[in-house]
Amino acid sequence: MSLTRVAVYRRRIAASIERVRENVLDWEHLPWLHAESFGHVRLLERRRGGFRAETSTRREDGEPMAERDAFEIDVAFEEGGLEYHSRTLTGRGAGADIVTRLTPDGSATEIEVEFLVPDVPAERIERVGAGFLALYARLWDQDEVMMVRRQALLDGVLPRGSREVCVDGERLRHATVCPHLGGPLESAPVEEGCITCPWHGYRFDVRTGCSVDGRGLRLATSRVA
Ligand code: FES
Ligand SMILES: [Fe+2]
């Protein structure tokens, strides 16, 4: 199997290398923050500096791919934490190796992503490369917003707001910062009294503040008099 470099993506991310590393190892956000790109994720193995997971992409009409189209990915940092590989182990695209190099620059990080894809005929290189560039621009746009908010939270400068909602005729107030990693709950949907965070999909009962997915976290909530 020969690997072809189909494209290279470069950009500057307005977040420190610590936030970038945190984001890369955050397997859980894939089908939530990148809901239009990933169908699901299931962690298979977690280790220092990497993980292996089963995931799937979405079809162009937004529907998740069939179960049989799931594939395994392995994300692994090299020693030193300045380079990592996202390898497709099984399924469609098996053998692909996406290599990302990180260069810290103060509170920002320069990234360079090289897409190495197996068995691409010469006449398809440009098209396959363009697909990766469009996908990665969107993924990094979404990740950057998350990293910037995470940093503001850690720096103690993220405004701690609340939102009023009505559940079964009762006026309630809930915090707009998710107790998991600080995701934005300002516009998160509330259904049957439960709110779902857009970053990792954790759910909380707005009436009690309790996790409803067994995670043991608590969202600050109160009744409006
Ligand atoms: S920040 Fe992770 S679920 Fe809200
Ligand atoms: Fe991401």
Side-chain angles (χ1 to χ4, degrees), residues 28 146 178-185 197-204:
E28 257 182 321
M146 185 192 213
C178 177
H180 177 218
L181 292 177
L185 300 180
C197 178
W199 277 6
H200 306 95
Y202 287 20
R203 297 178 72 232
F204 304 91

Side-chain angles (χ1 to χ4, degrees), residues 23 29 34 143:
N23 182 269
H29 79 272
H34 309 306
D143 286 332

Side-chain angles (χ1 to χ4, degrees), residues 76-133:
F77 270 98
E78 294 288 334
E79 204 57 47
L82 294 177
E83 179 177 315
Y84 66 94
H85 292 251
S86 304
R87 297 183 174 95
T88 305
L89 303 181
T90 64
R92 218 170 108 230
D97 184 6
I98 299 172
V99 188
T100 305
R101 295 181 189 90
L102 308 173
T103 306
D105 183 11
S107 59
T109 306
E110 300 286 347
I111 64 161
E112 181 186 86
V113 188
E114 195 179 0
F115 304 96
L116 304 172
V117 181
D119 305 326
V120 187
E123 67 276 11
R124 293 200 63 229
I125 291 175
E126 202 173 318
R127 186 151 162 246
V128 172
F132 274 109
L133 293 176

Side-chain angles (χ1 to χ4, degrees), residues 39-105:
H40 82 289
V41 69
R42 188 164 67 89
L43 184 66
L44 301 173
E45 180 198 348
R46 189 174 205 164
R47 53 183 192 274
R48 203 174 152 270
F51 67 86
R52 190 165 57 85
E54 177 197 277
T55 188
S56 56
T57 50
R58 285 194 179 268
R59 299 191 320 218
E60 277 178 13
D61 61 7
E63 288 299 311
M65 291 281 202
E67 193 98 326
R68 65 175 183 278
D69 292 318
F71 54 95
E72 250 179 70
I73 56 168
D74 185 276
V75 174
F77 270 98
E78 294 288 334
E79 204 57 47
L82 294 177
E83 179 177 315
Y84 66 94
H85 292 251
S86 304
R87 297 183 174 95
T88 305
L89 303 181
T90 64
R92 218 170 108 230
D97 184 6
I98 299 172
V99 188
T100 305
R101 295 181 189 90
L102 308 173
T103 306
D105 183 11

Side-chain angles (χ1 to χ4, degrees), residues 179-200:
H180 177 218
L181 292 177
L185 300 180
E186 290 87 348
S187 317
V190 177
E191 281 159 8
E192 296 176 7
C194 295
I195 191 166
T196 304
C197 178
W199 277 6
H200 306 95

